[in-house]
Amino acid sequence: MTPEGTRRTWTLLGPDRRPYESEVPGSLGGNRSTRIYGRLDCPGAARVIARGGYVKNRVFFLDEPAAIAAGYRPCAVCLPDEYAAWKLPRSEPPSPPRRTPAEPTRRIPR
């Protein structure tokens, strides 16, 4: 609680990409325009913030599952292992075989 007797809340982004108030601070930060999430102490994000960018697009997540569910990918700078796993090809159902066009029929002149 704050000295005024009110509870402190943080605005976090949920899995549905909608903001909500939380009594627990977020553990990860993200960028709304690039859809990348990372640690709050990410050196890459700190460099961009120091240059005056990124702040207006900053969002926060409670945890990694919420960030992933919201469609964000891991930061390559501060989460290199998670980024490498994200970059691996995902197992998708095989696509149907491609149909090749039939051989054109030849007309025999009469």
Side-chain angles (χ1 to χ4, degrees):
M1 289 200 159
T2 62
E4 299 84 34
T6 59
R7 287 196 150 130
R8 169 85 195 252
T9 62
W10 288 266
T11 302
L12 305 181
L13 203 62
D16 58 358
R17 294 188 197 142
R18 293 179 186 214
Y20 70 95
E21 295 299 312
S22 171
E23 292 184 5
V24 179
S27 64
L28 296 169
N31 183 301
R32 188 184 325 269
S33 64
T34 62
R35 295 247 173 103
I36 297 173
Y37 73 90
R39 294 189 336 240
L40 297 177
D41 63 347
C42 176
R47 282 191 297 270
V48 176
I49 290 170
R51 290 192 306 251
Y54 191 74
V55 176
K56 69 178 182 176
N57 290 315
R58 190 91 158 134
V59 294
F60 298 93
F61 297 100
L62 183 61
D63 53 23
E64 189 172 33
I68 293 168
Y72 285 64
R73 74 158 174 86
C75 173
V77 175
C78 66
L79 299 171
D81 294 337
E82 291 86 344
Y83 175 75
W86 172 83
K87 200 169 178 178
L88 288 175
R90 290 154 193 70
S91 59
E92 296 176 9
S95 56
R98 298 180 97 191
R99 295 185 66 194
T100 57
E103 274 295 312
T105 55
R106 295 186 182 209
R107 291 192 146 178
I108 300 174
R110 293 186 178 181

